Amino acid sequence: MKNSKTIFFLALTFLFQLGVAQEQQGSKEDQFEPSPVNQPGREYPMVNAKGQVRAQIIAPEAKKVQLDIGGVKYDMVKDDKGVWTGESAPQDEGFHYYQLNIDGASVPDPGSLFFFGANRWGSGIDVPARDQEIYELKNVPHGAVEKILFPSESTNTSRTAYVYTPPGYHKNPKKRYPVLYLQHGYGENETSWPNQGKANLIMDNLLSDGKAEPFIIVMTYGMTNEIEFGGLRDFDIKPFQTVLVDELIPYIDDNFRTKANKENRAMAGLSMGAFETKLITLNKPEVFSSYALFSGGTYNPEELKGRTKPDLIFISTGSKERPDAVKTAVSELKKASFNAVSYVSEGTAHEFQTWRRSLYQLAPLLFKTQK
Amino acid sequence: MKNSKTIFFLALTFLFQLGVAQEQQGSKEDQFEPSPVNQPGREYPMVNAKGQVRAQIIAPEAKKVQLDIGGVKYDMVKDDKGVWTGESAPQDEGFHYYQLNIDGASVPDPGSLFFFGANRWGSGIDVPARDQEIYELKNVPHGAVEKILFPSESTNTSRTAYVYTPPGYHKNPKKRYPVLYLQHGYGENETSWPNQGKANLIMDNLLSDGKAEPFIIVMTYGMTNEIEFGGLRDFDIKPFQTVLVDELIPYIDDNFRTKANKENRAMAGLSMGAFETKLITLNKPEVFSSYALFSGGTYNPEELKGRTKPDLIFISTGSKERPDAVKTAVSELKKASFNAVSYVSEGTAHEFQTWRRSLYQLAPLLFKTQK
């Protein structure tokens, strides 16, 4: 009897402790922390491990203030000091654009850093992700991101590009590198990959782990925002193709220590940038050897007939997009003897977490045999 | 008689045409154009040649909306569609920080690009200036601005700096360059000189005109915002001096093609950055050969006694600040046989137009005899 009582008591204690542990875990998940992409020293906006966003703003005279994220507007509540606070439903892991709405005015949240997306510079938030260490700033050798202005005759102006050079680029004045041309999506621009995409930190971390060959990444404006959304059918790739292939690539090859040949040149893009990547790689088979589409279309063997097979075709998407279409396309390409790879980002949609992960997966596959 | 009538008539015609011309000029001065630092495709905010700022925002439910610029809040007026519009009094030429106030909430204007100043990322406006061509984007060879992450043991992190390399830097892999270390002011950061300061465009234009020797500019965060404003008396320069002199300079000399000696190293700063420049150049006479203070203090001969004279001391200010103090100080330095130069920016105060012009004046004086 004594034993069974003891066992019962121990079991009870165990169950109680389990309950406490779960409750603590619960409360840890609920606990809000400042978003990692806040303005310096700002406590709000905050995020928790569930992916909820909590925003706060002082607006003593306002009648209605809302947090506008993921296509939903969440009412915020005013305290007696005129401070409005509100929370969203859980968001997917990773980066999201958002804004505040104050008595009908849609404005950036002054607490967050600003990012170019949705055709504007506006607020962004970074929800904790289980794999966030892939793009964290770590104590490893860092490459640099250079803003260049390159001459463009076809558009009669100086155009901007960002150039990632890997750690050691400046120290080894004789080493030459392959180049990845990496495009943003509709409503974004050349700052989107280095800012919210964290392309440089992803590369620094991969290189520090010895998981990828060092290469240069060039990111320029894809001229995608000059079309109306939905006007894709009439999209003419020629103006951007001219800028990229006839103006930017020669400038990069002239000013950076590149391996200036097809074998050492890849193109990738997300969404509208994937659409551009597909069109340009198909139009210009002599320029790029590896092609990557993130959340934007696929290749089929028919389109690639009668030409040298690319070294790599990489097609990715979020699990909340259309993963089956990507898997099927890659399976068809493999059947036709293409070196094709698919990647599905678990639990993410048409947003930057899908694309950060896609770059992380793509990079180790590029330029494997440096020629 | 006929002649005098003709002359009278001609004179009348002339006066009439003069009147028309003046009226046209008047209306041209009043005419608002989009600010050159607006978000892509945005019409508002606008500026006119008088320096007035016109802002506009949709806020149908708001009770009160104000344009907050230059320490003054201007009431905006709502039309029947819920669009608020308002104008400021004339502002000085050049760049100004501003914000909107919507029912008590101070927020960035979503129409403008965002700049770091006043301890936040927020809206900025650029008022036309008679000398704006010195910082305009022109069809000339362009240098690049590189964002680097350098290791800092003393602060146990990777720190950010922006590095301007002049046109041709990448093309001449053997040429070495002098370096200017250029500091921002209180409430600003390492992005302020390349963004609102337009340091790269000022240099590109000077170099294209053959008015300056090519040099590298390094801009890092001066750690100035970690003190309370007014707490200057207790400001300890040591932490930043360690980062700059013991960590950043060796990193730059190791990773860029610099002329790594005192003769080819200058330091300049604006406001709080001038204060830092003065302290560090006095503490470390072996590191820099040219010193420049923009809108922040002066040197006197006593402070520089018993050491090798610097190659150049440059001290500048806006005419709306304290130009007499600068002129007097430089006159004293000259009397004591220092190579000292003063510059007063006409019609500007403690703002970036003063500092853009100061850099434009300073650059041609630096590294005249490349050693």
Side-chain angles (χ1 to χ4, degrees), chain A residues 146 165-177 216 255-258, chain B residues 146 170 255:
Chain A
E146 188 159 348
T165 51
Y169 178 87
H170 287 296
K171 275 199 176 174
N172 306 312
K174 286 182 179 169
K175 190 169 157 67
R176 304 187 81 88
Y177 298 82
I216 292 168
N255 285 277
F256 290 83
R257 298 194 314 277
T258 64
Chain B
E146 188 160 349
H170 287 296
N255 284 278

Side-chain angles (χ1 to χ4, degrees), chain A residues 51-111:
Chain A
Q52 288 178 286
V53 175
R54 181 184 282 171
Q56 187 171 93
I57 191 161
I58 303 167
E61 309 304 325
K63 287 193 297 280
K64 191 177 188 181
V65 179
Q66 293 176 307
L67 163 60
D68 179 359
I69 185 167
V72 180
K73 287 179 180 153
Y74 300 90
D75 284 338
M76 295 167 71
V77 175
K78 184 162 79 161
D79 71 9
D80 54 8
K81 286 167 187 149
V83 179
W84 295 76
T85 308
E87 286 161 23
S88 76
Q91 308 292 307
D92 289 342
E93 295 183 307
F95 181 85
H96 309 280
Y97 304 109
Y98 79 101
Q99 61 186 358
L100 299 180
N101 193 287
I102 303 172
D103 285 345
S106 291
V107 291
D109 179 348

